[in-house]
């Protein structure tokens, strides 16, 4: 196990290098000259040169690349151009609010999706099953912004079931998070149901299910004791791999409900042309993703004793 | 898109090949599809088809399926050439191929038929809008108007008007065209890129494989939305990209806006990894099979082995990926436009409609029809493609049950 993790970490190095290169290419080569945007429309050459010097973009490309690699490797993403404080500090600040929306919503979504999938698997092939699948596909097809705008307008504004906007840290702010969490579940549950249903159906076709049925076990026990237990492997791995996305937060929900999370900060940074912030988000998001994909494989081995990592 | 197509601002010097190809794709194709396809014949079919069973039906047929068949036949003229329009019907004595089987299975499923009918309907709207027959007067009649009181649903404007007096129904129909352009070209770009790279990686192996594998693992490790956002962001901020855009499109009479171009490029260049992964795996499976070895031994050029011998065997997977990327592109357009990285305010797109509706909803009494129209139109297209992909997947690979 230890050797496996070590090897995976070593294999992640070239990918990390690739991510840093892609990010550098995007923001420093494709992105053009940031000084032009920073200086505004009516800048003279002197001001431009001063800003370029300040940002370090007057140096040769290779030197900039080297500096970028070194500073990223030490998790030093510089200071934000608009807020004049370390980017890392801003990120640390945003992770909490993002998670306080994402974690409960995601938990609810997984529980709901797994229950519905079990339900579908039990009634597979019948009208109820097909109806659930079609409804799931229909739910996936509604644009996300429509859920948000209509939910905010009717559920919050007209019928006053929820506050429209705002954020407070948990547990006091739970009332603010209820509507965004609900919309999160509505947005995501369709594809999850479909995924877990496929998993459950695959389990249902296994020999041990037939054996259990032949032994005369009640359907309830087969379903919860055998099928659910075995499909938990897939559930757990899918949950673990989703964690980085939970930390990064939901762009649209956070913007519309005024939650000061990372998604909100991303949109703000894009609107203000704050290069270092967007760049740092890309790098940190990717690092998290790689870390959690290794963790997923480890979880796989922990949950399922048949899986050996070498 | 400029208002006046007849007088381009700069005289085009020499139209590029791509320009010619796209131009050929616009209204002449629409004419061909509608006239040569036989709209007249199509209009005569549905009543007849509903009353009597079609020639291809055997045994008992449910009313839902009969209705869906009639609808599909009405819209696409021939259900015996049911989608996808690739492959061929084999002569007697030859075993039917994968596509033929898939077509047979799909034409038995009411959901698949209904989904196909929906897609074809959207295609017709798109072709009509490109030709200028559908929603010809979608632009504001008074360009300087800053605000006009939105009118509700009524007989003059079926779906009402929006804040600068444009007809919502026209905007939604015109938005269909934009969505189809974005979805088609982004998915096309992604699929071509993914297929070529995946084929090369899978077939050649060795350092080519290692390099391509490294590139797509890297891109896959960056959270998708963040990558897409940064890509669109840096493109829009780069002045030389605007110059490149202006050189390519402004001097021609192609009405491709900078936002559309950015979205297609950003989506195409970020979503090819999935195709690449699938195609690579399939090519690894196929590269040592007898037919490939035989082709190589006979001296068939490598390019031909790759794309004429192996690719047809894995093409169904590319087609499924195409549809999935199409859906992703249509949905992403809304998000990118909302963030100001997509289409501009003067263009007709569902993203712009939703974006405007954000403010309209807060008015008293609230103006919901623009958001509603965009939602329903987008929902229809995405649902149809979603259901179609499911049916296609089931039909092509009956062992899988999604």
């Amino acid at each position: 196990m230890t050797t496996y993790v070590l090897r995976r970490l070593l294999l992640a190095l070239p990918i990390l290098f690739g991510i840093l290169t892609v990010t550098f290419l995007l923001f420093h080569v494709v992105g053009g000259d940031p000084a032009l945007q920073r200086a505004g429309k009516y800048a003279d050459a002197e001001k431009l040169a001063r800003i370029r010097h300040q940002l370090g973009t007057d140096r040769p490309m290779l030197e900039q690349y080297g500096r970028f690699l070194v500073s990223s490797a030490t998790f030093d993403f510089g200071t934000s151009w608009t807020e004049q404080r370390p980017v890392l500090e801003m990120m640390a600040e945003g992770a909490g609010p993002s998670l306080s929306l994402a974690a409960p919503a995601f938990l609810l979504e997984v529980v709901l999706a797994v229950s519905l999938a079990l339900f579908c698997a039990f009634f597979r092939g019948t009208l109820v099953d097909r109806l659930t699948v079609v409804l799931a596909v229909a739910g996936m097809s509604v644009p996300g912004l429509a859920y948000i705008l209509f939910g905010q307008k009717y559920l919050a504004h007209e019928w006053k079931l929820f506050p429209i906007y705002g954020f407070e840290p948990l547990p006091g702010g739970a009332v603010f998070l209820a509507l965004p969490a609900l919309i999160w579940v509505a947005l995501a549950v369709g594809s999850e149901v479909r995924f877990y249903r496929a998993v459950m159906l695959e389990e249902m076709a296994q020999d041990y299910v037939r054996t259990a049925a032949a032994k005369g076990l009640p359907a309830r026990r087969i379903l919860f004791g055998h099928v659910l237990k075995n499909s938990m492997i897939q559930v757990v791995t899918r949950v673990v791999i989703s964690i980085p996305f939970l930390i990064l937060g939901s762009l649209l929900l956070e913007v519309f409900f005024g939650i000061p999370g990372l998604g909100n900060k991303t949109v703000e940074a894009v609107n203000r042309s704050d290069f270092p912030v967007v760049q740092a988000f890309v790098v940190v998001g990717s690092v998290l993703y790689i870390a959690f994909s290794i963790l997923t494989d480890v979880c796989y081995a922990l949950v399922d004793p048949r899986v050996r990592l070498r | 898109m400029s208002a006046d197509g007849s007088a381009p601002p700069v005289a085009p010097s020499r139209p590029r090949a791509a320009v010619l190809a796209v131009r050929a794709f616009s209204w002449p194709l629409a004419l061909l599809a509608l006239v040569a396809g036989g709209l007249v014949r199509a209009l005569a079919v549905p009543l007849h088809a509903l009353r009597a069973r079609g020639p291809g039906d055997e045994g008992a047929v449910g009313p839902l399926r009969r209705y869906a068949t009639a609808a599909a036949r009405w819209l696409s003229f021939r259900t015996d050439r049911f989608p996808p329009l690739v492959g061929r019907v084999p002569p007697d004595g030859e075993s039917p191929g994968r596509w033929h089987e898939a077509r047979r299975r799909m034409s038995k499923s009411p959901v698949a038929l209904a989904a196909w009918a929906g897609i074809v309907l959207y295609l017709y709207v798109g072709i009509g809008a490109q030709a200028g027959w559908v929603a010809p007067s979608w632009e504001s009649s008074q360009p300087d108007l800053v605000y006009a009181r939105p009118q509700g649903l009524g007989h003059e404007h079926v779906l009402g008007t929006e804040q600068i007096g444009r007809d919502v129904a026209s905007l939604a129909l015109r938005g269909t065209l934009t969505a189809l352009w974005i979805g088609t070209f982004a998915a096309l770009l992604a699929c071509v890129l993914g297929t070529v790279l995946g084929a090369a990686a899978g077939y050649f192996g060795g350092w080519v494989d290692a390099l391509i594998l490294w590139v797509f693992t890297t891109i896959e490790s960056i959270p998708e939305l963040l990558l897409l956002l940064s890509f669109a962001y840096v493109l829009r901020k780069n002045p030389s990209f605007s110059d490149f855009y202006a050189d390519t499109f402004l001097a021609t009479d192609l009405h491709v806006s900078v936002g559309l171009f950015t979205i297609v490029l950003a989506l195409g260049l970020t979503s090819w990894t999935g195709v690449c992964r699938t195609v690579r795996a399939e090519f690894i499976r196929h590269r040592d099979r007898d037919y490939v070895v035989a082709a190589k031994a006979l001296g068939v050029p490598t390019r031909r082995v790759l794309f004429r011998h192996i690719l047809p065997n894995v093409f169904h997977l590319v087609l499924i990926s195409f549809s999935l990327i199409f859906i992703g592109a249509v949905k992403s357009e809304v998000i990118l436009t909302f963030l100001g990285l997509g289409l501009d305010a003067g263009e007709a797109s569902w993203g712009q409609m939703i974006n405007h509706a954000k403010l309209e909803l807060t008015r008293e009494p609230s103006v919901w029809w623009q958001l509603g129209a965009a939602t329903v139109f987008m929902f229809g297209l995405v649902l149809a493609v979603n259901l179609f992909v499911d049916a296609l997947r089931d039909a092509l690979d009956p062992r899988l049950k999604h």
Side-chain angles (χ1 to χ4, degrees), chain B residues 79-104:
Chain B
T79 36
D80 59 325
R81 294 291 290 165
F82 187 66
L85 297 175
V86 271
R88 66 206 171 85
V89 179
D92 289 337
E94 201 178 302
S95 74
R98 184 207 301 277
W99 292 106
H100 186 67
E101 273 300 298
R103 198 181 293 149
R104 198 181 54 76

Side-chain angles (χ1 to χ4, degrees), chain B residues 73 143 183 250 258 338 341 399:
Chain B
R73 185 172 296 154
L250 278 193
V258 65
F338 167 72
L341 300 171
R399 283 168 307 149

Side-chain angles (χ1 to χ4, degrees), chain A residues 26-270:
Chain A
L26 266 182
F27 285 91
H28 296 254
V29 181
V30 186
D33 187 359
L36 283 178
Q37 300 156 41
R38 303 290 305 149
K41 264 184 188 162
Y42 307 103
D44 47 6
E46 193 186 331
K47 193 179 172 192
L48 274 179
R50 204 174 61 237
I51 293 176
R52 281 198 191 112
H53 184 71
Q54 211 177 349
L55 297 174
T57 50
D58 52 350
R59 305 295 177 88
M61 233 10 148
L62 266 180
E63 190 191 328
Q64 288 184 48
Y65 182 48
R67 275 163 185 261
F68 174 70
L69 284 186
V70 171
S71 62
S72 305
T74 51
F75 274 89
D76 167 25
F77 295 109
T79 49
S80 153
W81 286 350
T82 49
E83 294 196 17
Q84 308 301 341
R85 53 197 191 112
V87 175
L88 219 55
E89 194 184 302
M90 292 172 65
M91 294 190 75
E93 214 177 82
S98 275
L99 271 178
S100 63
L101 165 64
F106 182 67
L107 213 65
L108 191 65
E109 168 206 321
V110 170
V111 170
L112 193 67
V114 170
S115 334
L116 276 175
L118 258 183
F119 177 79
C120 280
F122 186 69
F123 291 106
R124 63 190 173 283
T126 64
L127 191 67
V128 195
D129 172 35
R130 268 192 246 164
L131 205 66
T132 316
V133 173
V134 169
L135 276 180
V137 177
M140 279 160 59
S141 308
V142 178
L145 275 171
Y147 276 119
I148 297 175
L149 289 173
F150 276 127
Q152 225 169 13
K153 172 70 189 167
Y154 292 101
L155 295 179
H157 182 251
E158 300 265 297
W159 303 333
K160 314 231 180 291
L161 298 174
F162 303 97
I164 299 178
Y165 185 90
F167 177 77
E168 267 172 45
L170 284 173
V175 69
F176 288 112
L177 294 176
L179 184 57
L182 201 69
I183 294 174
W184 173 303
V185 173
L187 268 175
V189 82
S191 59
E192 296 293 294
V193 166
R194 268 162 36 110
F195 174 79
Y196 290 127
R197 179 177 167 274
V199 170
M200 305 272 175
L201 283 184
E202 206 166 290
E203 282 308 322
M204 294 287 252
Q206 299 287 329
D207 286 342
Y208 71 85
V209 175
R210 199 178 45 204
T211 313
K215 277 199 310 187
L217 276 190
R220 187 173 45 84
R221 280 201 52 195
I222 299 179
L223 217 55
F224 290 100
H226 294 259
V227 174
L228 182 61
K229 206 168 165 186
N230 275 298
S231 40
M232 271 330 252
I233 300 164
Q234 298 273 357
V235 177
V236 168
T237 47
R238 198 172 164 90
V239 166
V240 173
I241 198 71
S242 307
I243 293 176
F245 298 100
L246 302 186
I247 299 172
L248 287 176
S250 155
L251 292 183
L252 297 178
L253 283 173
E254 286 180 13
V255 170
F256 273 94
F257 289 95
I259 297 163
L262 287 180
N264 206 339
K265 288 192 192 300
T266 314
V267 175
E268 233 168 55
V270 167

Side-chain angles (χ1 to χ4, degrees), chain B residues 279-350:
Chain B
V279 170
R280 174 179 170 269
E282 287 298 310
F283 268 70
I284 288 176
R285 259 173 18 110
H286 278 271
R287 73 175 170 208
D288 293 326
R289 295 222 173 145
D290 288 346
Y291 75 91
V292 179
V293 177
K296 272 201 284 194
L298 286 170
V300 178
T302 311
R303 192 163 40 93
R304 222 181 137 76
V305 174
L306 281 175
F307 297 113
R308 298 298 287 276
H309 290 243
I310 307 181
L311 187 61
N313 289 318
V314 303
F315 193 74
H316 61 287
L317 297 171
V318 180
L319 194 70
I320 291 172
S321 303
F322 181 91
S323 318
L324 291 176
I325 298 173
F326 181 93
I327 297 173
V330 171
K331 285 179 158 180
S332 304
E333 183 264 322
V334 176
I335 298 178
L336 285 179
T337 302
F338 167 72
L339 294 176
L341 300 171
L343 300 170
D344 294 325
E347 296 172 73
S349 84
W350 297 333

